[in-house]
């Protein structure tokens, strides 16, 4: 009986040693250094405004026209010059 236990133990020990040497569970190859380095990315945050800027109006030259504008305000018709006067 002792011979069987020793023989079985030796066989199991051999199987464990051989299965550990198969190379399938190793750490793998050592990573190499790439000759093409990755581009440098600037990670500094950019300042963004919290609200859009206030729109501005730049008046152009006054219009010279004999045409008149007709518009309705408060239910009445009104006439005006093309430059807004009158």
């Amino acid at each position: 009986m002792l011979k069987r236990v020793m023989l079985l133990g030796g066989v199991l020990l051999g199987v464990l040693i051989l299965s550990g040497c198969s190379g399938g569970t190793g750490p793998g190859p050592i990573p190499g250094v790439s000759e093409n380095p990755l581009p440098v990315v600037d990670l500094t945050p950019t300042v963004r405004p919290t609200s859009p800027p206030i729109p501005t109006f730049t008046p152009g030259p006054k219009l010279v026209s004999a045409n008149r504008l007709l518009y309705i305000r408060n239910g009445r018709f009104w006439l005006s010059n093309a430059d807004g006067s009158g």
Side-chain angles (χ1 to χ4, degrees), residues 3-57:
K3 282 186 174 185
R4 287 184 184 180
V5 171
M6 292 295 285
L7 183 62
L8 184 60
V11 170
L12 289 176
L13 183 61
V15 169
L16 287 174
I17 290 173
L18 289 177
S19 67
C21 294
S22 66
T25 60
I30 298 173
V33 177
S34 173
E35 294 181 15
N36 299 328
L38 295 174
V40 178
V41 178
D42 186 17
L43 297 177
T44 56
T46 57
V47 179
R48 294 186 180 174
T50 56
S51 62
I54 298 172
T56 58
F57 173 74

